Amino acid sequence: MLFSGLSEMGDDPILLVSKMFKASANPNKVDLGVGVYKDANGHTAILNSVKKAEQYLVSNQDTKTYLSPAGNANFNQVVQDMLIGADHPAVHESRVSTFQTPGGTGGVRIGLELVKKCNPNADIWISNPTWPNHTAVTKSLELKPRQYRYYDTKGGVFLFEGMMEDLSRAKSGDVVILHGCCHNASGADLSNDQWDELATVMLEKGLVPFVDFAYQGFSRGLEEDSYAARLMSTMLPEALIASSCSKNFAMYRDRAGAITLISSSAEEHLKNESHMLGAVRVNYSMPPDHGAAVVAHILGDTDLRAEWISEVNKMRNRVKKMRKLFVLKMNEKAPNSDFNYIEELNGLFSYLTLSAEQIHTLINDYSIFLMANGRINIAGLTEANIDYVTDAIASLFNSESV
Ligand SMILES: Cc1ncc(COP(=O)(O)O)c(C=O)c1O
């Protein structure tokens, strides 16, 4: 039989946490697993700007005929402007394209497909730790993943020197996946000076940056967060940027994302583009339009754009507020713990510096669902559950000191 003989694939570790949360009957259960923003009521609401743009489309869109493998051209333009700016040198030199993809994941996939076509021997350097799909997609293309040190999850320390040391072993033509901001899973980002230092070394060594940019707007602001994407694509002759509108437009299920390719010359770029679009054609032919059409409408309309920016600011500020509150409560409830580092980190995620047993206790005794490695989604914390969560974590420290 054709469809027999496979052994079952393990669940994706992130999706496994969601499954466990759904299955729990504990009325106090808390989901700190999957990376979605939640508001103060623990709800992942549709943004007002998105609702308005959807209403506009319902009234005004007059065809749903095919677009093309490149997707929605207006979306591609506004996304590119937001990522690298309309005055980017690669724009003037006709060596940049942005193509809509199904989510940021589609962007990672299509970007790596081009890498595979151009150089199947390129190693793909991935931060340790990272979003697990970086390694999974790399392996699925039979490219070789290599790890570089990034963050000590048990000590809560960003390892910039370790990162630079590991990347010094990369060979020319290797690809380095970098989190544009709000590193998933640590929340630790390079400072602008560190990005400058990294870009200089990558240029010297002939390494190719692949910036995965899924959280623009969640660290410091939309413009400020694009520092790495702009720097890498300006200083280096070639770059890839995978971007996602899942988080900053809260359109997770609409799958609006993009891949942006910067080539070394206009001539090479035309050839590279054709291979990238060829990869799209044999995968899914064309990306779905709805989410992209919504984004294009919002970013192209002055009032809606302003409303969306204020909604992004609100999401970012709520996460920052919960970081602060978490640290405050932990210092009150367990002065012998040290979670102060959580306040300084960016975006949705951080690691709790807990042992495997302590994490197990939070999941099994308290139904607080977090990743087995200690990663939590800070946006899962609300005023309503913060005491339950911090009491549970404090009990781990207070019982140890008895
Ligand atoms: C680092 C990183 N890259 C890419 C993605 C993919 O996002 P999307 O849902 O748009 O495919 C995510 C989503 O969690 C992410 O955290």
Side-chain angles (χ1 to χ4, degrees), residues 86-103:
D87 56 351
H88 193 285
V91 173
H92 301 301
E93 292 157 15
S94 304
R95 50 185 191 87
V96 56
S97 300
T98 299
F99 298 134
Q100 186 205 334
T101 53

Side-chain angles (χ1 to χ4, degrees), residues 35 102-106 108 131 134 179 184 212 214-215 244-247 252 255-256 349:
T105 309
V108 170
W131 181 55
H134 285 154
H179 296 232
N184 178 1
D212 185 5
Y215 298 91
S244 170
C245 300
S246 300
K247 324 278 168 166
Y252 305 86
R255 314 305 301 133
F349 306 110

Side-chain angles (χ1 to χ4, degrees), residues 84-287:
I84 59 169
D87 56 351
H88 193 285
V91 173
H92 301 301
E93 292 157 15
S94 304
R95 50 185 191 87
V96 56
S97 300
T98 299
F99 298 134
Q100 186 205 334
T101 53
T105 309
V108 170
R109 172 80 197 194
I110 296 300
L112 286 178
E113 289 220 13
L114 184 68
V115 171
K116 169 93 185 190
K117 262 218 150 149
C118 292
N119 180 8
N121 296 318
D123 287 347
I124 312 300
W125 291 81
I126 296 173
S127 69
N128 179 20
T130 193
W131 181 55
N133 231 2
H134 285 154
T135 313
V137 175
T138 300
K139 284 186 177 166
S140 79
L141 284 163
E142 295 179 353
L143 283 161
K144 189 169 162 203
R146 303 281 304 268
Q147 284 193 329
Y148 60 85
R149 271 171 288 171
Y150 191 82
Y151 189 79
D152 168 11
T153 59
K154 293 298 166 208
V157 184
F158 174 44
L159 303 171
F160 182 65
E161 278 170 25
M163 171 183 190
M164 297 301 280
E165 201 179 302
D166 290 347
L167 289 178
S168 73
R169 287 195 285 278
K171 62 183 189 303
S172 175
D174 281 357
V175 172
V176 184
I177 298 186
L178 299 159
H179 296 232
C181 71
C182 304
H183 180 269
N184 178 1
S186 66
D189 292 330
L190 280 72
S191 66
N192 288 356
D193 286 348
Q194 287 169 330
W195 280 118
D196 293 347
E197 191 180 331
L198 176 65
T200 306
V201 169
M202 287 182 61
L203 180 65
E204 276 165 19
K205 290 189 62 68
L207 306 180
V208 180
F210 191 155
V211 180
D212 185 5
F213 201 12
Y215 298 91
Q216 185 169 9
F218 277 86
S219 175
R220 291 176 290 164
L222 287 159
E223 179 87 19
E224 295 88 333
D225 290 355
S226 67
Y227 187 83
R230 288 176 195 227
L231 175 84
M232 286 291 166
S233 59
T234 310
M235 261 187 75
L236 286 102
E238 298 180 312
L240 286 160
I241 306 168
S243 56
S244 170
C245 300
S246 300
K247 324 278 168 166
N248 52 14
F249 284 84
M251 290 204 305
Y252 305 86
R253 65 175 66 168
D254 286 319
R255 314 305 301 133
I259 181 69
T260 296
L261 165 72
I262 289 109
S263 313
S264 57
S265 69
E267 194 191 350
E268 292 302 328
H269 191 70
L270 279 177
K271 295 183 267 179
N272 295 334
E273 271 190 336
S274 71
H275 283 275
M276 206 169 232
L277 294 173
V280 169
R281 186 71 173 146
V282 296
N283 271 291
Y284 48 82
S285 184
M286 296 170 201

